């Protein structure tokens, strides 16, 4: 391993990510692991310099206080504990301590070096991928979003032609998006890319399904089935590469934190999954994924484009998906993106999209009463997608977008702007 590692054990803290970032901000890599990690698993992480026992309000699970594996105390690693009164460590804190304490712990007690940077992270991941994969093949779900693009670049660097990228057009992509994935990856980056148009299959499975979790699960498991079919055609594929990042893992529930919502690339995997996973970004926050992409040499536009959820427009066409409303989401989203780019907002706003609910409201068109759908515009800013604030968009831009949507998108007679931050709202509606 190129870089030193401080391990954070999650003993029910809601501050795991805060602690991880505090340590990384001091230039030392840190990872969050479950409280019941074994001594062997810990040692296998390589270059561990110290351990943070991070307790907190979720310390009690199913009526029992969570405990670390007692073997860990005997391994000789320097330890610090936060909000974990039963620990046997010398240094105990209530609440996340100040930087001075961290510096002393990390650099003096643990003797860690400040060697966390993207070049070292990539070098470590490339070595780990090669060790895991050997001379076998990896199949990657290449949606063209930031996460899967960065994973693709990482895997191309690690294993080159042992990577087969599959782009599944599930019919829930943004306007012209699949075409551009093929252009960039097949034509420009010369990736081994298979393009599958599965629109009818997905829309068929989703017909009349209104429950958000059910929709996500169907899209997620159908995705995996399509990959399995492709893998069988390709022969000899043992691994599935995935662009899972740290916020996906937390929100799908850890051993102490409850589930917020299942993300398609974590919660929706079917149990009969035949692949072993390769997830080189799973310890990174979103902003770190982008830095990793730049370090890997991906174009700026690709790395800084707004994220797009795995289930795509499926979670923005609320309730049971219909083709009519799906088209309304797709067309209004294209208009919003075009106008935001013209106004320079694409560089200022982290994520912006439209949503179409499954109810209608009364309106007037050509002097006649109409009963049609509405489009909701959402524009938010965030650092790591864990919390988000709404963006104050220039009134004239909003008015112009609204007028275009009302004039150009069929079956729509009303446009609204979502004012809600996260929390309590999530970024997506479903
Ligand atoms: P929420 O709605 O949970 O979204 O506040 C946080 C960020 O994650 C994106 N998102 C997803 N990404 N698979 C993904 O890869 C998913 O199932 C998924 N759901 C939401 C969302 O767009 C936002 O950027």
């Amino acid at each position: 391993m190129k870089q030193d590692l401080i391990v954070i054990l999650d003993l029910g803290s809601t501050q795991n990510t805060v602690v991880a970032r505090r340590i990384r901000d001091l230039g030392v890599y840190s990872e969050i692991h479950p409280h019941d990690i074994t001594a062997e698993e810990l040692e296998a992480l390589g270059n561990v310099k110290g351990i943070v026992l991070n307790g907190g309000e979720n310390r009690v699970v199913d009526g029992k206080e969570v405990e670390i594996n007692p073997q860990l105390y005997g391994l000789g690693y320097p330890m610090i504990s936060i909000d974990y009164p039963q620990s046997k460590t010398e240094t105990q804190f209530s609440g996340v301590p100040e930087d001075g304490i961290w510096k002393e712990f990390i650099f003096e007690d643990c003797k860690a070096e400040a060697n966390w940077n993207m070049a070292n992270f990539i070098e470590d991941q490339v070595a780990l991928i090669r060790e895991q994969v050997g001379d076998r093949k990896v199949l990657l779900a290449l949606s063209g979003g930031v996460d899967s693009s960065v994973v693709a670049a990482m895997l191309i660097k690690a294993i080159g032609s042992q990577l087969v990228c599959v782009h599944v057009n599930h019919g829930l992509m943004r306007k012209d998006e699949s075409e551009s994935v093929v252009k960039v990856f097949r034509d420009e980056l010369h990736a081994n890319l298979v393009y599958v148009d599965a629109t009818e299959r997905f829309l068929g499975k989703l017909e009349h399904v209104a429950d958000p979790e059910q929709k996500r699960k169907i899209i997620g498991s159908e995705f995996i089935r399509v990959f399995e079919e492709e893998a069988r055609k390709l022969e000899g594929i043992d691994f599935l590469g995935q662009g899972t990042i740290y916020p996906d893992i937390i929100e799908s529930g850890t051993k102490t934190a409850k589930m917020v919502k299942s993300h398609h690339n974590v919660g929706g995997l079917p149990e009969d999954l035949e692949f072993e996973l390769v997830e080189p970004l799973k310890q990174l926050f979103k902003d770190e994924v982008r830095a990793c992409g730049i370090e890997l040499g991906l174009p700026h536009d690709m790395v800084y484009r707004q994220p797009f959820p795995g289930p795509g427009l499926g979670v923005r066409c609320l309730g049971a998906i219909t083709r009519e409303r799906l088209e309304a989401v797709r067309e209004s989203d294209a208009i919003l993106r075009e106008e935001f780019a013209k106004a320079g907002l694409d560089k200022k706003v982290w994520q912006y999209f439209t949503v179409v609910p499954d109810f209608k409201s009364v309106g007037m068109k050509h002097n006649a009463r109409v009963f049609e759908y509405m489009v909701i515009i959402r524009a938010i800013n965030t650092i790591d997608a864990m919390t988000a604030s709404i963006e104050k968009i220039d009134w004239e831009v909003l008015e112009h977008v609204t007028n275009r949507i009302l004039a150009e998108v069929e079956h729509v007679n009303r446009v609204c702007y979502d004012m809600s931050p996260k929390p309590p709202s999530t970024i997506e509606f479903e």
Side-chain angles (χ1 to χ4, degrees):
M1 291 288 269
K2 286 292 275 190
Q3 48 192 1
D4 291 347
L5 172 62
I6 302 289
V7 172
I8 298 162
L9 295 184
D10 170 23
L11 286 141
S13 177
T14 53
Q15 305 284 303
N16 290 312
T17 55
V18 173
V19 174
R21 296 202 76 119
R22 191 66 76 80
I23 298 171
R24 289 184 195 183
D25 283 347
L26 293 171
V28 180
Y29 185 49
S30 73
E31 288 186 354
I32 302 155
H33 287 274
H35 61 87
D36 55 0
I37 190 168
T38 64
E40 293 74 41
E41 285 166 342
L42 187 86
E43 307 231 280
L45 296 174
N47 260 10
V48 176
K49 296 287 173 182
I51 299 174
V52 180
L53 305 182
N54 203 21
E57 61 195 59
N58 296 329
R59 205 160 56 216
V60 178
V61 176
D62 297 333
K64 271 177 53 189
E65 289 249 336
V66 292
E67 296 277 4
I68 63 161
N69 199 317
Q71 275 183 317
L72 301 193
Y73 289 114
L75 298 176
Y77 293 112
M79 286 188 180
I80 192 172
S81 72
I82 305 169
D83 294 327
Y84 185 53
Q86 64 270 55
S87 89
K88 300 187 185 74
T89 53
E90 274 171 27
T91 28
Q92 296 191 15
F93 293 91
S94 62
V96 178
E98 293 307 310
D99 269 0
I101 304 280
W102 284 116
K103 281 185 189 151
E104 195 180 315
F105 174 66
I106 295 166
F107 300 115
E108 288 172 31
D109 301 349
C110 302
K111 307 217 166 6
E113 259 182 65
N115 54 10
W116 151 244
N117 60 50
M118 276 306 155
N120 284 344
F121 176 79
I122 290 165
E123 209 170 304
D124 281 348
Q125 290 303 321
V126 163
L128 288 169
I129 293 166
R130 287 186 183 150
E131 192 182 302
Q132 183 185 7
V133 172
D135 59 1
R136 291 179 287 169
K137 284 188 186 162
V138 180
L139 183 65
L140 175 71
L142 178 57
S143 68
V146 179
D147 302 345
S148 69
S149 300
V150 175
V151 173
M154 179 85 93
L155 286 167
I156 288 167
K157 186 175 171 79
I159 54 166
S161 61
Q162 285 162 254
L163 173 70
V164 183
C165 298
V166 173
H167 176 70
V168 176
N169 180 357
H170 49 25
L172 307 167
M173 303 295 284
R174 286 172 288 200
K175 196 170 179 178
D176 299 329
E177 197 167 29
S178 282
E179 292 77 357
S180 83
V181 168
V182 173
K183 183 173 165 286
V184 170
F185 284 94
R186 185 182 283 165
D187 304 346
E188 291 167 22
L189 299 178
H190 310 294
N192 213 343
L193 175 70
V194 180
Y195 172 74
V196 188
D197 184 355
T199 304
E200 291 308 314
R201 182 169 164 169
F202 275 81
L203 294 188
K205 289 262 174 191
L206 288 164
E207 215 172 341
H208 307 305
V209 180
D211 178 67
E213 282 299 308
Q214 198 61 27
K215 284 166 68 179
R216 280 173 175 273
K217 291 217 162 88
I218 290 173
I219 298 167
S221 54
E222 207 50 29
F223 236 105
I224 300 297
R225 298 243 154 72
V226 175
F227 286 125
E228 282 181 334
E229 287 172 22
E230 290 307 316
R232 251 175 249 128
K233 279 186 221 159
L234 293 162
E235 286 179 357
I237 303 261
D238 293 305
F239 297 90
L240 189 69
Q242 289 220 327
T244 314
I245 68 170
Y246 194 66
D248 300 337
I249 292 179
I250 300 187
E251 297 200 356
S252 291
T254 63
K255 283 182 180 168
T256 61
K258 297 208 171 47
M259 183 180 93
V260 179
K261 63 172 83 164
S262 66
H263 280 248
H264 100 276
N265 38 6
V266 181
L269 299 181
E271 292 187 351
D272 58 356
L273 186 73
E274 289 167 13
F275 304 109
E276 201 181 307
L277 298 179
V278 183
E279 299 177 291
L281 310 180
K282 72 167 183 254
Q283 288 282 347
L284 296 189
F285 297 98
K286 197 85 196 186
D287 51 321
E288 295 171 337
V289 173
R290 294 189 207 278
C292 183
I294 292 292
E295 184 70 32
L296 282 162
L298 286 177
H300 189 275
D301 279 0
M302 177 178 287
V303 168
Y304 281 89
R305 90 170 117 204
Q306 59 166 326
F308 187 56
L313 300 181
V315 290
R316 296 177 182 173
C317 182
L318 306 186
I321 296 168
T322 63
R323 285 168 203 256
E324 200 173 78
R325 285 191 303 112
L326 186 57
E327 267 328 287
V329 182
R330 198 180 335 259
E331 291 301 321
S332 56
D333 172 78
I335 291 170
L336 183 73
R337 286 192 289 135
E338 199 182 311
E339 294 302 329
F340 267 38
K342 269 193 218 157
L345 289 168
D346 56 335
K347 293 184 186 65
K348 212 175 144 228
V349 184
W350 198 83
Q351 201 171 11
Y352 44 98
F353 55 87
T354 61
V355 166
V356 176
D358 57 352
F359 59 87
K360 294 179 176 178
S361 73
V362 175
M364 286 251 298
K365 277 186 184 171
H366 313 295
N367 290 328
R369 178 189 186 277
V370 287
F371 191 47
E372 292 182 319
Y373 296 109
M374 73 172 64
V375 166
I376 300 171
I377 297 171
R378 184 143 174 78
I380 59 97
N381 264 322
T382 179
I383 301 286
D384 57 12
M386 303 296 287
T387 60
S389 57
I390 60 134
E391 181 64 23
K392 293 192 182 99
I393 303 297
D394 191 52
W395 195 255
E396 276 174 21
V397 176
L398 279 181
E399 229 172 3
H400 185 57
V401 172
T402 300
N403 290 338
R404 275 197 65 190
I405 291 174
L406 292 175
E408 296 171 37
V409 183
E410 282 186 65
H411 311 294
V412 170
N413 66 352
R414 195 177 290 272
V415 176
C416 298
Y417 187 71
D418 183 354
M419 297 286 291
S420 328
K422 172 183 182 174
S425 301
T426 48
I427 294 172
E428 301 290 345
F429 276 52
E430 291 191 337

